[in-house]
Amino acid sequence: WTKRFTDLVDKHVGVDGVENLLYLNVGTGSHCFQLRERLDEKVAIFGRCEDEDILHIARDKAAAVNADVDFSTLRFDDDAFDVVLADASFVKPGDVAGFVGETVRVTKNGGKAAFFFLSSGSFGEVFSLLWEVLFNEDLGDHGHAAEAMISEIPTVERVEEIAKNAGLVNIESHSAKEVFEFENGAAFI
């Protein structure tokens, strides 16, 4: 999934000419390494990992490919970064507002903050299919659980509202439809 999001980020978020960049929920750093190759060596790149296990993997990968990316689990200072890229794809829907607020908090005034996530319009079809399978197979309350997941995911409009309430201006939204084809139902499941 991450590659689909990072392609959108690369296409729509300019990072040239920045002094420093922070990547929140960086995972094991693959996109940071790509950015490191593209950006001037003077640009400081930081990645905040979700936990200590992921941090160790990211640091080991950075050492293996000799990438100058500073991975940590630190809480960074307010207004510290020119650009903040924030992967919200695994942030619980109820925590999106707090995550956006954290992204804004560490972004310098006049800087760029970009977060990417699953929206109900961009990912709801997968859950809708799951709901239909569970319902048609008479798997009881699982269909209700899938329906709850669908309705819990924020729309793009809702996240734009959250971003505005967090103090962001000049808000742009970009989305893309992805087609996943499977040979048959068993391959999908």
Side-chain angles (χ1 to χ4, degrees):
W1 303 109
T2 302
K3 174 96 170 87
R4 298 181 192 291
F5 286 118
T6 59
D7 288 348
L8 276 175
V9 169
D10 291 344
K11 181 177 180 180
H12 296 288
V13 180
V15 294
D16 296 326
V18 303
E19 290 180 22
N20 60 17
L21 179 146
L22 172 63
Y23 208 118
L24 297 174
N25 286 359
V26 70
T28 60
S30 297
H31 193 218
C32 272
F33 301 139
Q34 293 169 5
L35 291 168
R36 174 76 283 152
E37 289 178 11
R38 281 195 353 237
L39 295 174
D40 187 291
E41 63 185 35
K42 294 178 185 175
V43 176
I45 299 178
F46 298 85
R48 188 169 75 192
C49 297
E50 299 85 331
D51 60 48
E52 292 293 325
D53 293 329
I54 292 174
L55 173 63
H56 292 299
I57 295 167
R59 285 181 173 167
D60 288 348
K61 284 174 65 175
V65 298
N66 197 26
D68 183 19
V69 177
D70 185 358
F71 293 105
S72 71
T73 56
L74 296 175
R75 182 181 190 279
F76 292 97
D77 293 337
D78 295 0
D79 305 314
F81 296 93
D82 299 320
V83 173
V84 179
L85 304 178
D87 183 348
S89 59
F90 287 112
V91 172
K92 294 177 185 175
D95 297 338
V96 169
F99 186 74
V100 170
E102 174 65 6
T103 303
V104 172
R105 182 188 69 76
V106 296
T107 305
K108 288 180 182 176
N109 189 22
K112 290 183 184 179
F115 46 92
F116 40 103
F117 63 96
L118 306 171
S119 68
S120 64
S122 68
F123 204 67
E125 294 82 6
V126 170
F127 287 125
S128 294
L129 181 59
L130 175 63
W131 174 81
E132 187 175 337
V133 167
L134 293 171
F135 182 78
N136 288 340
E137 296 300 318
D138 196 28
L139 293 175
D141 290 336
H142 297 298
H144 296 292
E147 183 179 11
M149 285 191 300
I150 295 166
S151 61
E152 187 179 28
I153 298 172
T155 63
V156 172
E157 293 79 18
R158 175 66 184 126
V159 175
E160 287 176 346
E161 180 183 317
I162 290 169
K164 185 177 179 184
N165 291 341
L168 291 176
V169 295
N170 302 321
I171 298 167
E172 296 178 19
S173 295
H174 302 278
S175 60
K177 291 195 182 251
E178 296 291 335
V179 177
F180 296 94
E181 293 186 23
F182 299 92
E183 201 171 299
N184 55 43
F188 168 75
I189 298 297

